[in-house]
Amino acid sequence: MTNGSWLRDWQREARERYHSRNGGENGSFLVVATPGAGKTTFALTIAQDLIQRDVISNIVVVVPTKHLRRQWAEAGMRANIGIKLDHVFVNKNGAVGSDFDGVVVTYQAVASAPLLWQRFCTNKRTLVVFDEIHHAGDGEGLVWGDALKDSFEAATRRLLLSGTPFRTDGKPIPFVTYDEQRRAAPGFAYDYGMALTDGGVVRPAVFPAWDGESQWRRSGQMAVTKVALSDTDKGTVPPALKAALDPEGDWIPSVLQEAHEALMQMRIDTADAGGLVVASDQFAATAYARILERISGVPVPVAISDEPSASDIIKSFAKSSTPWIVAVQMIAEGVDIPRLGVGVYASRVRTKMFFTQVVGRFVRMRGEEDLTTARVFIPSIQPLLTFAHDIEKTVEAVLAEEEKQVREAQVSDTGGSGDSLFPAYETVSSSVATHHATIASGSAFTTEQLQFAGQTMELSGPAPASVTREYVAGLLSAAGALHANSVPQQAVASEAEPLGDQKKRLRKLIHRKVARLAMLTNEPHMKINGDLNFQLGDAVTVATLPSLEKRLAIVSNAVKEATKK
């Protein structure tokens, strides 16, 4: 088994748990990991392990959309994995070429020929990977469920993946274990909050919610109903939302205008940042694209899952710097474009699972230095507001905990917490530095105490070079004879964290605080960082530890003030 040095911490932990449990109960193991966390890489690594251990000789990956077939095949070909998957296979072929390690198919293809896939598993030792297995529990997935059981019960191993927790309100999904509350019981879970805490995995997200008045009438009636989106209830949400999302009305064009302006603002810092509109159907998607073309002045591609060209359209958009793409809801879950930063939720689906999956399209980070805060524009209706609020609460809690840990880890005083990010003055000069304290042998000594220790040394006559003022101050302190004006003793860790690690941790938190401030103030990251550099006289990349602490205090205070507005 390879060392998996390319894996993230959660992937390594899940990998160890998977093998320690020998693939789970009856050979089935469920992993629930937040969208963007890297489930595909994890699953392919497990497949690679099982091939190397001679546990399996064949792989079948089952996915909900055609676009994901190519995505899995491309992921398998990465140098550190090297698994060849046939993504163009069709049932009538009957067999997969011997130069492939396996095949990627859709749930729909399996449901249409369960005996074929049963034969695949019977003839070879097979690992079946179910991508987004929750799809087998709703809608046409109820039909898929029976086919999955018939097709893959004979498989050697089954690895189930989902981007969000799910439950059964009807017929259980095959190979999934449920708890007493009918919730799926994962063998390993990695949620959005955990990913946000780890850093470098997912971005924070915010949700501009847009209100507006919808008008509609019942068929055959003259009376018009008018209601604001924020005032809708269970009975009025469907018609009100349908009216708001109608491209012939004023609501959706105005939201697309706002979203485009937000994207242009984001592109000041990230030149290739992209936007995605998730539409309910093909008609709406095409109309939204035309509106965005009028707003942006450039062509807007439309990706529709039923069309053969959808995968090529998405792939082309992912590699370009084109600002916008529109997709119908069926394909939104399969879109994997890390440069996406702004989204418009223009779907009539109001389930937490689908909402979470859509948000997952925007939170995948492009590396630890990615400062982007995703912005997903939503209608001001329940339960979308509740879903969005829960995610924002997670972001705030994680940032608060990170800041707490950073501050607790620092020995020196951060200072400057009362400064404003944009002060109404400019720096003129500063005084000569004065000593505050020296940390030595687990204690902090003031200037006066060290001077007293020096005077004591002079009275005692010549001393070896190894005997310093700090050493003498420590002896005097232990004897209770140290000069007055002492400061409280401060414990210093026996194994101090390297300075480089301290500064890296601070820079990371500052980056995320700046991203939060940019979202709240609508100011580009570049301008905020430029103002900080001017005020502090250095850049974050070369700043000293005290300067970084000062920077964190300033930007934290600015976030606090901006939140009040």
Side-chain angles (χ1 to χ4, degrees):
M1 188 171 77
T2 59
N3 61 16
S5 58
W6 64 87
L7 296 175
R8 292 168 175 162
D9 289 345
W10 83 263
Q11 293 167 327
R12 282 193 286 270
E13 185 179 347
R15 182 193 196 190
E16 291 173 3
R17 186 176 301 181
Y18 177 87
H19 291 306
S20 70
R21 297 184 181 181
N22 293 317
E25 184 178 351
N26 299 320
S28 297
F29 192 90
L30 171 63
V31 173
V32 176
T34 189
K39 294 185 293 296
T40 302
T41 298
F42 165 75
L44 290 169
T45 302
I46 293 297
Q48 186 184 52
D49 292 344
L50 296 178
I51 290 174
Q52 291 176 351
R53 294 180 177 191
D54 199 30
V55 175
I56 64 163
S57 59
N58 184 45
I59 305 165
V60 176
V61 180
V62 189
V63 298
T65 65
K66 293 178 181 178
H67 170 70
L68 285 174
R69 297 183 69 187
R70 176 192 289 272
Q71 196 163 290
W72 273 86
E74 290 176 344
M77 289 302 292
R78 291 174 190 149
N80 52 10
I81 296 177
I83 289 179
K84 298 181 288 295
L85 297 173
D86 184 358
H87 71 288
V88 297
F89 174 88
V90 292
N91 288 346
K92 66 180 182 181
N93 291 354
V96 178
S98 60
D99 52 348
F100 286 106
D101 298 302
V103 62
V104 191
V105 296
T106 63
Y107 285 100
Q108 187 175 9
V110 171
S112 66
L115 292 178
L116 169 66
W117 297 101
Q118 184 183 89
R119 189 167 66 250
F120 265 74
C121 294
T122 303
N123 295 342
K124 293 184 177 181
R125 292 167 297 142
T126 302
L127 166 69
V128 182
V129 179
F130 299 104
D131 191 18
E132 307 298 356
I133 184 64
H134 56 266
H135 278 291
D138 47 58
E140 61 181 323
L142 296 176
V143 177
W144 295 347
D146 292 334
L148 295 181
K149 185 175 182 180
D150 294 340
S151 301
F152 302 120
E153 197 158 26
T156 306
R157 294 281 181 91
R158 291 172 291 271
L159 181 58
L160 290 64
L161 308 175
S162 179
T164 183
F166 61 96
R167 53 178 285 134
T168 176
D169 292 316
K171 191 174 182 179
I173 300 172
F175 316 123
V176 174
T177 301
Y178 295 90
D179 61 20
E180 294 179 354
Q181 286 73 43
R182 298 190 297 180
R183 294 174 301 196
F188 190 88
Y190 184 70
D191 63 27
Y192 178 68
M194 297 166 69
L196 200 61
T197 300
D198 286 348
V201 180
V202 295
R203 305 174 179 132
V206 296
F207 304 88
W210 292 83
D211 202 356
E213 184 180 79
S214 288
Q215 300 183 30
W216 70 93
R217 65 164 60 91
R218 292 185 179 276
S219 298
Q221 297 182 5
M222 296 296 295
V224 174
T225 301
K226 300 179 182 181
V227 65
L229 290 175
S230 57
D231 292 334
T232 53
D233 54 25
K234 187 175 181 180
T236 56
V237 160
L241 186 56
K242 183 178 180 181
L245 297 178
D246 185 349
E248 297 299 321
D250 293 331
W251 189 88
I252 189 65
S254 64
V255 171
L256 292 176
Q257 177 69 51
E258 293 288 342
H260 179 70
E261 291 176 4
L263 179 60
M264 293 302 101
Q265 189 77 12
M266 185 177 291
R267 285 165 74 100
I268 294 175
D269 293 305
T270 308
D272 67 340
L276 165 68
V277 180
V278 180
S280 293
D281 53 54
Q282 180 175 344
F283 167 77
T286 303
Y288 297 162
R290 287 199 298 265
I291 294 170
L292 281 169
E293 286 174 353
R294 291 198 298 268
I295 293 171
S296 65
V298 297
V300 175
V302 179
I304 299 170
S305 58
D306 293 336
E307 295 185 355
S309 60
S311 290
D312 291 334
I313 290 172
I314 293 172
K315 186 175 181 180
S316 176
F317 177 81
K319 293 181 177 180
S320 73
S321 60
T322 301
W324 284 101
I325 186 171
V326 182
V328 296
Q329 60 196 40
M330 290 177 62
I331 205 169
E333 191 172 58
V335 174
D336 183 13
I337 308 170
R339 71 182 185 89
L340 287 178
V342 174
V344 178
Y345 191 91
S347 168
R348 294 198 295 273
V349 178
R350 303 187 304 280
T351 65
K352 185 173 185 178
M353 181 177 294
F354 184 71
F355 183 82
T356 303
Q357 291 288 344
V358 169
V359 173
R361 301 312 102 208
F362 304 94
V363 298
R364 185 188 297 271
M365 287 187 71
R366 305 170 81 175
E368 291 189 2
E369 301 304 313
D370 185 352
L371 304 181
T372 307
T373 293
R375 299 174 70 87
V376 182
F377 289 70
I378 64 173
S380 185
I381 61 168
Q382 293 292 352
L384 299 185
L385 291 172
T386 299
F387 302 155
H389 183 63
D390 288 346
I391 293 175
E392 281 207 307
K393 282 196 302 184
T394 301
V395 174
E396 293 293 349
V398 169
L399 283 176
E401 181 61 26
E402 283 188 8
E403 185 167 3
K404 177 184 176 183
Q405 292 176 359
V406 166
R407 292 189 184 282
E408 288 177 348
Q410 304 304 320
V411 175
S412 60
D413 177 51
T414 60
S417 59
D419 289 344
S420 169
L421 180 59
F422 305 109
Y425 54 82
E426 60 183 71
T427 301
V428 175
S429 64
S430 60
S431 65
V432 175
T434 59
H435 178 265
H436 169 69
T438 295
I439 309 300
S441 303
S443 299
F445 303 112
T446 66
T447 301
E448 292 79 7
Q449 290 172 324
L450 292 177
Q451 288 176 345
F452 181 75
Q455 293 169 358
T456 302
M457 290 173 64
E458 292 176 2
L459 293 174
S460 302
S466 60
V467 178
T468 63
R469 293 191 304 168
E470 290 75 20
Y471 176 77
V472 173
L475 293 177
L476 293 172
S477 177
L482 193 60
H483 191 273
N485 300 322
S486 62
V487 297
Q489 301 295 298
Q490 296 185 6
V492 176
S494 57
E495 294 183 8
E497 182 181 27
L499 178 60
D501 288 346
Q502 294 181 51
K503 293 172 70 173
K504 180 179 179 181
R505 185 155 42 83
L506 267 172
R507 284 195 296 266
K508 182 177 176 182
L509 180 55
I510 290 167
H511 284 333
R512 295 173 72 166
K513 286 279 189 176
V514 167
R516 184 69 176 164
L517 183 59
M519 183 279 301
L520 292 170
T521 62
N522 210 28
E523 291 281 358
H525 300 81
M526 188 181 300
K527 183 178 186 307
I528 294 174
N529 283 320
D531 289 346
L532 285 167
N533 293 345
F534 178 79
Q535 183 169 339
L536 294 169
D538 55 21
V540 69
T541 54
V542 297
T544 63
L545 185 63
S547 179
L548 289 173
E549 292 169 342
K550 175 80 169 178
R551 188 178 295 252
L552 175 62
I554 293 173
V555 75
S556 294
N557 186 65
V559 169
K560 187 183 300 182
E561 292 300 317
T563 304
K564 295 177 182 177
K565 297 179 180 178

